[in-house]
Amino acid sequence: MKRTFMVLLLVLSFCSACGSKPIPSGDSAEEDLIVVGMSQVGAESDWRVANSESMKAVFTEENGYRLLFDDARQQQENQITAIRKFIQQQVDYIVLMPISESGWDSVLQEAKEAGIPVILVDRMVDVEDESLYSAHIGSDFLREGTAAVEWIESVYPDGEPVRIVHIQGTLGSTAQLGRTAALEEAVALHENWELLTQLDGDFTQAKTYEVMTEYLEHLPSKEDVDVVYCENDNIAFGALQALEEGGYACGRDGVNVVTFDATRNALLDCLNGNISLAVECNPLLGPLVEETIQAMEAGHTPEKQQYVEERVFTAAQLTTTLIEEREY
Ligand code: AHR
């Protein structure tokens, strides 16, 4: 829209680099588009795929945007490279889903110096200078963790032993930090809660299946695990697979599997009793990000911190209709 000619040239080079179709030049409608450079973490989870789809559905040419979407394949250095490219291309906005919280000061400073507003989506960054980003739109991960912990408290009210296997998401990401902090705080408060182990599941089913299978092989007795606290649905799927193969029963009379995201497949597992609690993490953030950009286009200062509302589900709250109607 603003830096049309330069953008068109650079967009052409970006698209040839990423294999997309070249953009036709000299079209005045094209020149009116708002150019958004988006750096996505990757496609590690069902949640992430739904999040990318939500963005792509909103930032379309029909809606007045040219979206430059970059998949960082779980590497922060790829995200930094993409942001530098967006700066070179003089995009109008940068939307960043940061893989982890640290390490962003320099590149966000470069975006600021180039006069390009940065909107953080999903996770946060830990930077000294908050003016390096215009807004953060996503989940309150500590609140999600607290909801999970409160449910565990309600299930074990009598001081009986609660032995917990904790499988973490990508270390250093806001989702991991918030959900872990809630659990660790609760373990410190309850004498009867024991953290058996903390495993790194990296938010993926494959890694979790591997680490959980290995862990269970070395456990002396099947009675030793009460709760498996999984920091996302794909971790829960990997854990369920390992538990099943290890001969563990899940649910009310067995291991209580707690998960975050509450995607459709996790809710099905919740309805059939394999997952005891699914804490919602809403990936459908595209419309909120678009509203924020529109507000900025109109000259408004966006609300800096925008958390989305989220729910928790046990089998009691679920019906097949609710699950079928779920968008992700
Ligand atoms: O940051 C959000 C988390 O990242 C989601 O819980 C997880 O599924 C994703 O990969």
Side-chain angles (χ1 to χ4, degrees):
M1 186 160 151
K2 295 159 195 151
R3 312 170 179 104
T4 318
F5 183 66
M6 187 64 168
V7 169
L8 276 172
L9 282 179
L10 289 161
V11 162
L12 277 168
S13 73
F14 179 94
C15 286
S16 61
C18 66
S20 312
K21 270 195 200 156
I23 297 159
S25 56
D27 180 340
S28 71
E30 181 79 43
E31 291 169 12
D32 284 338
L33 298 176
I34 297 171
V35 183
V36 176
M38 186 172 290
S39 170
Q40 176 60 284
V41 170
E44 76 284 6
S45 63
D46 299 351
W47 186 100
R48 185 69 53 200
V49 172
N51 181 245
S52 295
E53 280 170 7
S54 170
M55 298 295 157
K56 288 175 183 170
V58 160
F59 291 103
T60 60
E61 284 194 19
E62 298 75 62
N63 288 346
Y65 296 95
R66 162 66 61 199
L67 177 63
L68 308 181
F69 184 90
D70 186 82
D71 176 336
R73 301 181 310 283
Q74 269 77 47
Q75 299 297 323
Q76 184 174 29
E77 64 199 59
N78 291 344
Q79 292 205 285
I80 292 173
T81 304
I83 294 171
R84 294 215 162 105
K85 205 164 188 176
F86 295 148
I87 295 171
Q88 248 191 340
Q89 291 169 311
Q90 301 184 5
V91 299
D92 295 313
Y93 294 89
I94 291 174
V95 173
L96 168 65
M97 292 78 163
I99 185 161
S100 55
E101 291 203 347
S102 59
W104 298 104
D105 296 80
S106 308
V107 75
L108 294 190
Q109 182 63 39
E110 290 166 35
K112 184 179 174 180
E113 281 162 17
I116 303 173
V118 173
I119 298 170
L120 303 175
V121 173
D122 167 25
R123 304 173 184 170
M124 266 297 285
V125 295
D126 181 12
V127 286
E128 296 249 312
D129 175 3
E130 288 198 353
S131 76
L132 294 182
Y133 63 92
S134 303
H136 168 244
I137 299 163
S139 303
D140 182 338
F141 298 108
L142 182 62
R143 191 169 66 193
E144 291 177 354
T146 305
V149 157
E150 283 171 0
W151 180 85
I152 300 171
E153 283 169 343
S154 74
V155 172
Y156 302 96
D158 301 325
E160 63 265 58
V162 185
R163 288 149 302 193
I164 304 167
V165 172
H166 176 197
I167 314 178
Q168 297 176 291
T170 306
L171 300 177
S173 69
T174 315
Q176 178 270 312
L177 292 169
R179 293 165 186 170
T180 292
L183 179 64
E184 286 180 345
E185 225 170 87
V187 168
L189 278 176
H190 296 85
E191 278 181 14
N192 56 321
W193 289 27
E194 185 191 348
L195 207 46
L196 293 173
T197 186
Q198 286 181 312
L199 305 172
D200 179 4
D202 202 18
F203 286 133
T204 70
Q205 181 167 346
K207 172 116 188 250
T208 302
Y209 172 70
E210 191 185 307
V211 293
M212 186 64 169
T213 302
E214 209 207 323
Y215 177 72
L216 293 178
E217 273 168 13
H218 296 101
L219 259 193
S221 151
K222 294 209 182 345
E223 273 65 62
D224 282 348
V225 184
D226 299 298
V227 172
V228 181
Y229 184 94
C230 304
E231 288 191 357
N232 82 342
D233 285 351
N234 294 82
I235 287 181
F237 301 148
L240 282 173
Q241 210 182 333
L243 284 162
E244 196 187 315
E245 288 177 14
Y248 289 78
C250 291
R252 240 186 141 70
D253 303 316
V255 178
N256 279 305
V257 174
V258 170
T259 186
F260 296 87
D261 288 352
T263 54
R264 206 180 293 122
N265 284 335
L267 292 185
L268 278 172
D269 271 324
C270 195
L271 187 64
N272 71 26
N274 283 331
I275 287 177
S276 300
L277 179 78
V279 179
E280 187 173 56
C281 180
N282 185 356
L284 307 179
L285 303 173
L288 261 182
V289 178
E290 206 258 334
E291 255 173 52
T292 301
I293 288 182
Q294 283 305 323
M296 292 170 80
E297 285 288 299
H300 304 300
T301 305
E303 208 182 310
K304 190 93 178 177
Q305 180 59 68
Q306 302 178 38
Y307 284 135
V308 284
E309 283 304 312
E310 292 167 338
R311 299 177 284 174
V312 298
F313 298 97
T314 61
Q317 279 100 42
L318 290 171
T319 59
T320 41
T321 316
L322 185 151
I323 298 173
E324 275 161 19
E325 284 172 4
R326 196 145 173 92
E327 284 180 67
Y328 56 96

